[in-house]
Amino acid sequence: MSELIKLTEISKHFTVYERPEGKWELLKGAFIRYPKRVDALKKISFTINEGELVGYIGPNGAGKSTTVKIMGGILTPDEGECVIDGRIPWKERVEHVSNIGVVFGQRSQLWWDVPVKDSFDLLKEIYDIPEKDYKERLEEIASRLSVESFLRTPARQLSLGQRMRCEIIAALLHRPKILFLDEPTIGLDAVSKLELRAFLKEENKRSGVTILMTTHDMDDIEALCSRVMVIGHGMLLYDGSLNTLRQRYETQEGQDIDEIIAEMYRDMDL
Ligand SMILES: Nc1ncnc2c1ncn2[C@@H]1O[C@H](COP(=O)(O)OP(=O)(O)OP(=O)(O)O)[C@@H](O)[C@H]1O
Ligand SMILES: [Mg+2]
């Protein structure tokens, strides 16, 4: 299997501005902001091979979305190297985006006020997908994800589950080699989650698309990922199989994976 994604000692910090505390200080705070450094990623390194389906987990604020944004070419790291299919994402953005699909569960890439089909048509132009390929691909995934009945509905009128399926289609229309999913199952009901997982598993098998997904739902990981990476405070704390993680961190026999993860997260705060 060939290496598709390689991050070497990637670091990224943000500066956030805090208001002072207290009443008088608050008044002054209208003018004064104290800069505070947040180290979102501290020397993160990992490699992902072609065809892998990797879960990326960690508590809120751990650095998962920041990693996805760097890999997607949206953010530039302070230090370190990131090479994805031979390209540096933020330096060769145009070529890079034609090779990847990205879905942010909390944000939409669909044009809000127009039928989703129009958004797909626009993406066809952006990615320069030949008419025949586009028609075939859309028909295929639209039927597998059962979205045909609402292709003419504006995105803002779709339910969360319907919209998420359309987001996945938008990310896969141009047949990218790599798919980054940032919390794709957030807010979905049990049936929608199962359907989405089944689709992703099948798509990974069928087209060989390499998938990295962040999630807070351990069932996503159990169902999909043979490999899981755990990040905490911007550092990679574990990279391996879910079974090994279970064995390594299990404190009582029969503890379920959510409890094990919760315990791991609690330990990170020490
Ligand atoms: N644009 C930004 N400006 C300032 N700080 C940021 C920015 N983006 C992220 N951060 C900070 O960087 C850290 C990592 O954030 P990130 O969004 O990567 O976490 P996450 O693992 O995706 O968390 P969650 O599970 O809540 O989505 C947090 O402390 C966050 O406040
Ligand atoms: Mg996030």
Side-chain angles (χ1 to χ4, degrees), residues 15-222:
T15 306
V16 291
Y17 292 89
E18 292 188 333
R19 283 166 185 252
E21 274 178 44
K23 203 160 79 184
W24 292 112
E25 293 296 311
L26 204 68
L27 216 79
K28 277 201 285 179
F31 309 101
I32 300 171
R33 298 276 193 286
Y34 297 119
K36 190 181 141 200
R37 183 188 168 102
V38 176
D39 286 298
L41 298 176
K42 298 175 206 162
K43 294 186 184 283
I44 290 277
S45 303
F46 58 77
T47 61
I48 295 176
N49 289 331
E50 209 163 343
E52 273 195 281
L53 213 166
V54 181
Y56 196 36
I57 62 170
N60 292 134
K64 301 178 297 295
S65 298
T66 305
T67 317
V68 172
K69 285 175 191 162
I70 287 173
M71 293 192 293
I74 301 166
L75 278 179
T76 311
D78 305 334
E79 278 171 37
E81 276 177 32
C82 171
V83 181
I84 297 184
D85 201 21
R87 299 191 185 96
I88 298 170
W90 56 95
K91 286 198 177 151
E92 295 152 273
R93 267 210 85 187
V94 178
E95 298 84 352
H96 180 61
V97 293
S98 68
N99 211 21
I100 62 161
V102 191
V103 173
F104 288 100
Q106 318 240 37
R107 232 183 290 153
S108 180
Q109 61 187 319
L110 301 167
W111 213 353
W112 211 229
D113 291 311
V114 303
V116 282
K117 172 69 165 53
D118 293 1
S119 287
F120 297 156
D121 289 347
L122 185 72
L123 289 167
K124 166 188 172 279
E125 300 302 322
I126 292 172
Y127 291 118
D128 209 6
I129 310 170
E131 184 67 38
K132 190 169 160 282
D133 288 0
Y134 171 69
K135 266 194 82 182
E136 278 174 14
R137 179 66 166 161
L138 182 58
E139 253 167 46
E140 179 219 326
I141 33 181
S143 113
R144 280 167 59 203
L145 282 165
S146 318
V147 303
E148 296 107 321
S149 62
F150 48 83
L151 279 176
R152 301 299 324 158
T153 309
R156 72 179 148 75
Q157 287 175 14
L158 297 177
S159 76
L160 184 61
Q162 292 170 337
R163 183 175 66 76
M164 196 52 66
R165 282 181 270 162
C166 291
E167 301 281 350
I168 303 269
I169 293 178
L172 287 174
L173 274 176
H174 59 298
R175 298 179 192 275
K177 242 182 174 173
I178 305 165
L179 181 62
F180 296 119
L181 303 167
D182 195 6
E183 300 192 45
T185 54
I186 194 162
L188 300 190
D189 67 32
V191 177
S192 301
K193 277 186 190 180
L194 288 174
E195 282 170 0
L196 188 57
R197 284 178 201 140
F199 172 82
L200 292 172
K201 197 164 196 167
E202 191 189 64
E203 186 58 22
N204 168 257
K205 256 209 190 122
R206 259 199 210 196
S207 71
V209 63
T210 304
I211 302 177
L212 178 131
M213 74 183 286
T214 81
T215 182
H216 288 290
D217 187 332
M218 288 314 294
D219 291 339
D220 287 344
I221 305 284
E222 296 239 56

